Amino acid sequence: MSRAAATNDRHPAGPPAPATGCPYQSGSGTTTDPCRDYLGLREEEPVRWDEDLELWFVTGFRAATGLLRHPALSSAWPERASTPLHAAAGGGAGGDGARTSGLVRKWFMFNDNPAHHRARKLVAPLFSAERIAAHRPFIEELVAELLSGGGDSLEIMEGLAIPLSGRVICRVLGLDAAVAPHLEPWALDVAALLVADYLPEVVARGHTALQDMTALIDRALEGELPEESALYLLRQAHRDGEIGLQDVWATATFLIYAGFETTSTFIGKAVRSILHTGSWERLRTADLGPAVEELLRFDTSVQQVARVATETFEVADQKIAAGDLVLIMLGTANRDGEVFDRPDHLDYDRRIKRHLGFGFGAHYCLGAGLARLEAQVALEGLRDKWETLRFLEPPRTRSHFGITALERLMVAGVQP
């Protein structure tokens, strides 16, 4: 099917769904669906061409799952893909047509095999089930410390999600815990660089954050490092001639960014979803393993991933041409009513065979197990501390160059 046909000849199966579809719009402490920014995309075909942005949106779960492992789609979109916004700005981040930064383009999440596999396998042992389980006592102790205050209120982001994820990823890397407070501003500026690198200020801020991160890594590499830390493994691989210093910087900055940003965002969103849906009482008796999976499905921290087509192929009666940018909307796919019964309901008893909260295929999130553990322990700590929990004020978000950050999540509870 041609793009013109794909755009103009739609045949909806029935009346369009509501823009949000969220059943929790009243009586839950907030009147705005936190997922409103992407659920409206379900009104469209599961694979559609956007004339303005000149890219494909993929919103259907089955199409998204298939495309995440499609051999004709490359993860190296920062190297190969652009948009009209970049063309209007005179090119990519450096004015040469390339996106983001040279260091980010070396992140293994933005590379295909064999480069992706080679870089990933160096640090994969750090995220084995055994190694992750070994972090549990530290995470439990840290959550207990963060929740040790005697008050009846807490700002979830600054008081729990941010320091927890920051100190855990510092431990994984082998960095001093004092570094943790610097991670949030760095992560926000790098996140903006991934989506708005056509703006000079975003490029400048993102590159500064990466420079600060690499300077920190260099200092750490010169000192003593725990033998089971990521930086120790990377330094050893560099000394053995397996990788270059740029590869050390690339993998370490990626782990800092992804390990902090993904987990802190998810913990905040999980608490927001629980209170938004008025389901705290149900959570108190729920099995937290399945509950965390359902929370990941309901409002995942990574809403979209990009791919670029390396050859022409067809999917869902649409022809994707070589060079086309494809945006796979994970959050929307996780609310696909053809796959999930009552997709806009938060059901802690739901037994999910698969969701896309951590992606799928070769680029499935390496730190998924660690993120799950942090979220489970954080929720365990909250329900041990408070019998009831509610919003003390409406959740507050802010836009950071196109990135919507959950800035403040103030809650109040009653102790058992």
Side-chain angles (χ1 to χ4, degrees):
M1 181 181 289
S2 69
R3 286 180 181 166
T7 303
N8 299 321
D9 298 332
R10 299 193 175 110
H11 303 281
T20 65
C22 181
Y24 308 109
Q25 295 257 341
S26 61
S28 58
T30 180
T31 58
T32 303
D33 179 9
C35 307
R36 67 192 182 280
D37 55 343
Y38 63 84
L39 289 186
L41 293 172
R42 294 184 301 186
E43 299 177 20
E44 307 290 344
E45 291 182 345
V47 180
R48 71 174 179 88
W49 176 254
D50 187 286
E51 294 285 356
D52 295 325
L53 295 176
E54 296 183 7
L55 54 77
W56 293 94
F57 279 111
V58 179
T59 57
F61 183 89
R62 293 186 178 91
T65 301
L67 291 178
L68 284 170
R69 56 181 180 181
H70 199 288
L73 287 180
S74 168
S75 296
W77 62 263
E79 190 77 41
R80 303 181 179 193
S82 189
T83 71
L85 295 172
H86 295 86
D96 57 358
R99 299 282 304 275
T100 63
S101 79
L103 187 61
V104 168
R105 293 194 294 275
K106 290 180 72 66
W107 285 5
F108 61 76
M109 73 175 291
F110 296 138
N111 279 271
D112 304 316
N113 289 332
H116 166 259
H117 176 71
R118 185 168 56 248
R120 183 181 173 115
K121 75 176 182 178
L122 283 174
V123 291
L126 297 170
F127 300 96
S128 68
E130 181 180 4
R131 294 288 284 274
I132 289 171
H135 288 295
R136 177 178 274 275
F138 172 79
I139 295 172
E140 289 177 338
E141 182 179 338
L142 179 53
V143 168
E145 174 190 325
L146 294 170
L147 296 180
S148 62
D152 59 359
S153 64
L154 177 71
E155 203 286 283
I156 292 292
M157 299 310 296
E158 290 293 337
L160 179 62
I162 289 172
L164 172 60
S165 58
R167 287 178 62 181
V168 169
I169 198 59
C170 282
R171 176 183 171 90
V172 171
L173 266 291
L175 295 170
D176 191 281
V179 171
H182 297 283
L183 302 189
E184 184 193 15
W186 287 345
L188 278 174
D189 285 339
V190 173
L193 183 66
L194 298 180
V195 300
D197 57 338
Y198 50 85
L199 298 174
E201 183 178 354
V202 168
V203 173
R205 293 173 66 109
H207 286 196
T208 297
L210 290 166
Q211 289 166 5
D212 290 343
M213 292 163 75
T214 55
L216 168 71
I217 292 162
D218 282 342
R219 291 194 297 271
L221 291 172
E222 293 172 355
E224 293 292 325
L225 290 168
E227 289 191 11
E228 295 187 345
S229 69
L231 285 178
Y232 182 89
L233 292 180
L234 292 170
R235 182 173 67 183
Q236 194 61 46
H238 179 233
R239 288 175 174 175
D240 292 343
E242 297 178 40
I243 59 176
L245 184 57
Q246 282 274 340
D247 300 306
V248 175
W249 291 340
T251 300
T253 55
F254 168 63
L255 292 178
I256 292 171
Y257 167 74
F260 170 78
E261 173 66 15
T262 302
T263 307
S264 61
T265 298
F266 172 57
I267 292 171
K269 283 189 169 187
V271 175
R272 181 177 67 176
S273 294
I274 293 162
L275 300 187
H276 174 71
T277 59
S279 61
W280 175 256
E281 187 61 33
R282 285 188 287 119
L283 183 81
R284 283 185 53 78
T285 58
D287 181 340
L288 282 181
V292 166
E293 297 307 306
E294 173 68 348
L295 287 162
L296 282 162
R297 181 200 68 82
F298 189 78
D299 190 8
T300 184
S301 57
V302 179
Q303 294 296 332
Q304 61 194 40
V305 296
R307 297 288 188 268
V308 61
T310 57
E311 59 184 71
T312 299
F313 67 97
E314 289 192 8
V315 60
D317 296 325
Q318 310 284 22
K319 181 178 286 186
I320 296 179
D324 281 355
L325 186 61
V326 180
L327 208 57
I328 303 173
M329 307 301 292
L330 304 179
T332 310
N334 277 337
R335 297 285 198 99
D336 188 339
E338 293 187 3
V339 175
F340 301 102
D341 182 46
R342 300 203 309 165
D344 299 318
H345 285 258
L346 188 60
D347 181 1
Y348 300 130
D349 295 323
R350 192 189 301 271
R351 293 300 182 262
I352 301 173
K353 294 182 179 179
R354 178 186 301 143
H355 61 71
L356 301 180
F358 291 119
F360 185 62
H363 286 267
Y364 184 81
C365 177
L366 185 60
L370 183 60
R372 286 184 171 103
L373 176 59
E374 291 180 59
Q376 287 182 24
V377 175
L379 292 176
E380 285 171 1
L382 287 171
R383 69 182 190 180
D384 286 347
K385 181 177 178 65
W386 285 310
E387 184 173 354
T388 64
L389 197 66
R390 62 180 176 84
F391 288 123
L392 190 58
E393 59 187 50
R396 189 168 75 209
T397 61
R398 68 183 175 96
S399 179
H400 184 76
F401 300 104
I403 299 295
T404 300
L406 182 53
E407 183 178 45
R408 184 174 172 84
L409 186 59
M410 197 72 193
V411 301
V414 174
Q415 296 185 11

